[in-house]
Amino acid sequence: SAAGVHPRHGATCFNLEELPVKHWAMHHARTHVLVVDHSKFGKVRPARMGDLSCFDTIVSDRRPDDALREQAEAQNIRLLFSAG
């Protein structure tokens, strides 16, 4: 999970102490799924997890804005979101 998802700055979080664990998990995972609620879109937090291209899929409760959708499409990132 992330506290911020931004087309240019990628996935970010608040906790610098958790960052090494998140990087370790991403390095060892076969599939990279970012799960966020819509309030995280467009936000940038202090601890950078990585570019959006690090993720295979982004799952959210709402459709992302145009910039994020365009970036996901350009980088072949699957978007899954609730239609409601």
Side-chain angles (χ1 to χ4, degrees):
S1 68
V5 180
H6 190 276
R8 187 177 51 203
H9 300 288
T12 57
C13 62
F14 283 110
N15 195 331
L16 291 168
E17 293 176 8
E18 290 179 0
L19 201 54
V21 174
K22 290 183 179 195
H23 285 161
W24 179 89
M26 289 175 64
H27 177 76
H28 289 87
R30 290 185 187 180
T31 303
H32 302 91
V33 178
L34 180 61
V35 179
V36 293
D37 67 76
H38 71 280
S39 69
K40 310 308 190 277
F41 295 145
K43 303 283 194 286
V44 178
R45 304 302 182 201
R48 189 167 187 273
M49 295 164 53
D51 289 334
L52 295 183
S53 63
C54 295
F55 299 93
D56 304 303
T57 305
I58 299 174
V59 179
S60 185
D61 61 331
R62 292 198 191 152
R63 180 180 174 141
D65 63 20
D66 290 341
L68 187 57
R69 283 196 325 272
E70 289 170 7
Q71 177 146 357
E73 183 178 319
Q75 295 179 339
N76 294 316
I77 302 167
R78 185 176 180 199
L79 289 176
L80 299 175
F81 53 88
S82 174

